[in-house]
Amino acid sequence: MTVYTTITSPLGELTLVGEARATGTALRAVSITGGKSVAVQPDWVADRAAFATVIEQLDEYFRGTRTHFELEYAVEGSEFRRRVWQALDDIPYGRTATYGELAARIGAPRAALRAVGAAIGANPVLIVRPCHRVIGADGRLTGYAGGLERKRRLLELEHAA
């Protein structure tokens, strides 16, 4: 069963979507209103309590007391996307990486930079899977589904900007 809730954050309203399981809720999506957002479906069940752990960890992150997330995910993607997403998870808090560095980490050729960028752009769990830590080769901020201003704010929160 798909469950969802919305919460207020320093970046604006977040929509959390998850899959209810016997072991708890596995996170499927985190989206930001005003950015690339998830459309709530009629068969989804509103259940804020199902996201208690996610909400607690996001609150800690925004207060600056959490540097990594310990959540279960229910995210689908190709083998290539999963490799890119794992590389995102491996970027330390307070650090950034370029698209080229991520491609190298997963053993992809330089010609695969666009594919790496597309996989990053397809990341459904914004903030908790830190795609905001990926920057251009020249150090400039590049695309972010939540908008570049929010990306800048996340990097400032992490003292990476």
Side-chain angles (χ1 to χ4, degrees):
M1 170 176 56
T2 301
V3 293
Y4 77 96
T5 194
T6 57
I7 64 170
T8 302
S9 83
L11 300 178
E13 186 175 78
L14 302 180
T15 300
L16 311 177
V17 180
E19 191 64 35
R21 298 181 175 170
T23 58
T25 301
L27 193 60
R28 263 192 8 206
V30 176
S31 66
I32 304 172
T33 299
K36 178 179 158 187
S37 59
V38 173
V40 174
Q41 301 300 306
D43 60 332
W44 293 0
V45 176
D47 186 355
R48 184 178 177 87
F51 294 95
T53 299
V54 177
I55 294 168
E56 177 183 9
Q57 289 189 29
L58 282 166
D59 285 346
E60 292 168 352
Y61 171 79
F62 286 122
R63 284 195 312 266
T65 60
R66 174 169 290 278
T67 60
H68 69 279
F69 292 90
E70 297 170 9
L71 301 168
E72 181 181 355
Y73 299 106
V75 176
E76 297 177 4
S78 67
E79 168 63 26
F80 181 79
R81 281 186 176 177
R82 287 193 307 272
R83 286 186 8 232
V84 171
W85 294 341
Q86 180 58 57
L88 288 175
D89 289 337
D90 293 341
I91 302 171
Y93 179 92
R95 304 287 303 272
T96 58
T98 66
Y99 293 90
E101 289 168 344
L102 247 54
R105 286 181 192 176
I106 66 166
R110 186 104 176 122
L113 283 181
R114 286 182 191 255
V116 168
I120 293 168
N123 170 27
V125 285
L126 298 180
I127 305 166
V128 298
R129 175 164 287 136
C131 55
H132 59 275
R133 295 179 188 155
V134 181
I135 60 173
D138 61 1
R140 286 190 300 166
L141 299 187
T142 55
Y144 182 63
L148 290 182
E149 175 58 25
R150 289 183 176 120
K151 181 174 186 163
R152 182 188 60 74
R153 290 174 59 194
L154 288 167
L155 292 174
E156 286 174 352
L157 170 75
E158 296 183 10
H159 307 288

